[in-house]
Amino acid sequence: MPRLWRLAVCAAIVMTVFCSCTRDGGSSEQTLSSTHERSTAAETSGVTVETGTQPSQSTPAATATTVQESSNAATTSAPATTAVSPENTTPATVEEIVACFNEAANKIKQEKPGYRFSVESATDRDSMAIDAEIPFKGFITRFIASGINKETKSTVSRGNSHNDFPVKGQSVASKLKADAIKSASCMLTGDYYVIELHFKDEKLNTLPEKPFGCRHGNAFSVILASDFANAFGGIHINMPGFKVQVENKKFAPTYTGSIITCSIRVSGMRMTQAKYFLNSLCVVETEIDVNRKIYPMVITFNYSVTESYVFT
């Protein structure tokens, strides 16, 4: 086996292991807006809040009716009647919207309502960059893309384990804090809150060590350092005249452009639909030792996972 071809194969092996750490996924044609259509403009109200700003608050003017009577008519006095508008309890600040999301998300783990879900993991092969001058770059990027770009759909029955719902493997679904959010909106549409959370970018030097170990990890199921290490404990190939050792040196994700949207029934604060879009810019530093000759390689690529849920 020519040395250059061996190097390409080793690089492919590295990314095979990475792909095994990712979660198979599938696309969903369902959208939150199509499930709860707005019936009339009068039935819909909401707010959009940017981090660091306070929404303007206005109090509807009290409506009163004044009746003018003739001076010759008998005058009687009665207490004035003031029309009072019902209080709007729609979450109006980032803190309130995040608290509403946390409450509804955590009820999923507690009450186990059952759900249908689809997961789609995706990357763009053309946007991948490999810094090393090695042959067969096209083969390597194609191999990586084919391992990542997957779809799946499944169903979890009511009462069964909901451990795969974010945050995966935890009894709590969300510990999200307002300081992770760039902007948030909450619309009251009929009997439902429709929430959209846009996350601030978050750059890490390494993968998180444990769940809830970073701001995104407080709501998303992120790949953990232990997951990657267990799948990629090191590759050693020993053959006559051919020894290869592959070692992952660094995996640094930057979470950017991540969004969570969900629909929550106001009565009972129960989530009915949710979509989690986790987007990462990944930098993987790998070192390949072929017969004691070192080939360092850095692969940069964008990687996203979209998880869509409909609760039953």
Side-chain angles (χ1 to χ4, degrees):
M1 178 183 292
R3 176 172 296 178
L4 295 180
W5 174 251
R6 294 171 183 170
L7 178 58
V9 171
C10 292
I13 291 173
V14 172
M15 297 317 301
T16 301
V17 179
F18 165 74
C19 295
S20 72
C21 292
T22 67
R23 183 176 179 181
D24 291 344
S27 62
S28 172
E29 297 179 355
Q30 297 163 319
T31 61
L32 296 174
S33 59
S34 65
T35 301
H36 306 298
E37 297 181 352
R38 302 171 185 168
S39 54
T40 64
E43 293 175 336
T44 304
S45 64
V47 294
T48 300
V49 184
E50 298 285 341
T51 299
T53 64
Q54 292 296 329
S56 59
Q57 298 181 355
S58 59
T59 302
T63 302
T65 302
T66 302
V67 179
Q68 294 182 344
E69 298 181 351
S70 163
S71 59
N72 296 327
T75 303
T76 59
S77 60
T81 301
T82 303
V84 179
S85 299
E87 182 182 0
N88 182 5
T89 59
T90 302
T93 66
V94 173
E95 289 78 7
E96 291 171 350
I97 295 171
V98 168
C100 180
F101 167 78
N102 285 344
E103 179 181 348
N106 287 327
K107 281 188 176 182
I108 298 299
K109 296 268 188 164
Q110 297 163 3
E111 300 179 354
K112 301 180 181 179
Y115 56 83
R116 301 188 306 274
F117 76 101
S118 63
V119 183
E120 177 184 6
S121 54
T123 189
D124 180 8
R125 175 193 169 194
D126 294 335
S127 68
M128 292 182 189
I130 300 177
D131 72 336
E133 290 302 321
I134 59 175
F136 310 114
K137 284 188 178 182
F139 165 77
I140 295 174
T141 57
R142 183 167 58 251
F143 186 89
I144 296 171
S146 65
I148 290 178
N149 293 327
K150 294 184 181 298
E151 301 177 359
T152 189
K153 295 182 179 182
S154 189
T155 300
V156 173
S157 300
R158 179 183 297 272
N160 286 355
S161 173
H162 281 44
N163 278 346
D164 283 341
F165 180 70
V167 172
K168 186 176 181 180
Q170 303 301 302
S171 60
V172 176
S174 180
K175 294 182 179 180
L176 185 61
K177 297 180 180 179
D179 63 3
I181 301 303
K182 179 170 64 177
S183 67
S185 66
C186 181
M187 302 295 294
L188 176 61
T189 304
D191 297 329
Y192 299 87
Y193 291 141
V194 178
I195 288 177
E196 185 165 307
L197 301 170
H198 291 255
F199 284 68
K200 296 176 182 176
D201 289 356
E202 183 177 11
K203 184 176 182 180
L204 303 178
N205 291 324
T206 60
L207 290 169
E209 293 291 338
K210 57 185 179 180
F212 307 117
C214 62
R215 288 184 300 183
H216 277 69
N218 282 335
F220 289 95
S221 296
V222 299
I223 299 175
L224 302 180
S226 57
D227 296 333
F228 192 78
N230 290 336
F232 186 78
I235 298 176
H236 304 273
I237 301 175
N238 290 309
M239 299 175 62
F242 179 55
K243 294 184 178 180
V244 176
Q245 179 174 334
V246 182
E247 181 181 358
N248 174 61
K249 305 297 290 186
K250 184 177 182 180
F251 189 134
T254 297
Y255 305 116
T256 177
S258 300
I259 304 171
I260 293 178
T261 56
C262 67
S263 179
I264 300 170
R265 189 187 301 274
V266 177
S267 176
M269 290 296 293
R270 287 178 173 82
M271 193 176 289
T272 57
Q273 294 189 61
K275 179 175 287 187
Y276 289 64
F277 174 73
L278 177 63
N279 191 63
S280 307
L281 177 63
C282 304
V283 178
V284 180
E285 296 181 8
T286 299
E287 188 175 274
I288 305 174
D289 184 337
V290 181
N291 291 337
R292 296 187 177 182
K293 185 173 182 179
I294 305 299
Y295 295 87
M297 182 171 62
V298 177
I299 305 176
T300 304
F301 59 98
N302 197 73
Y303 167 66
S304 68
V305 177
T306 303
E307 301 183 10
S308 301
Y309 299 86
V310 177
F311 303 99
T312 55

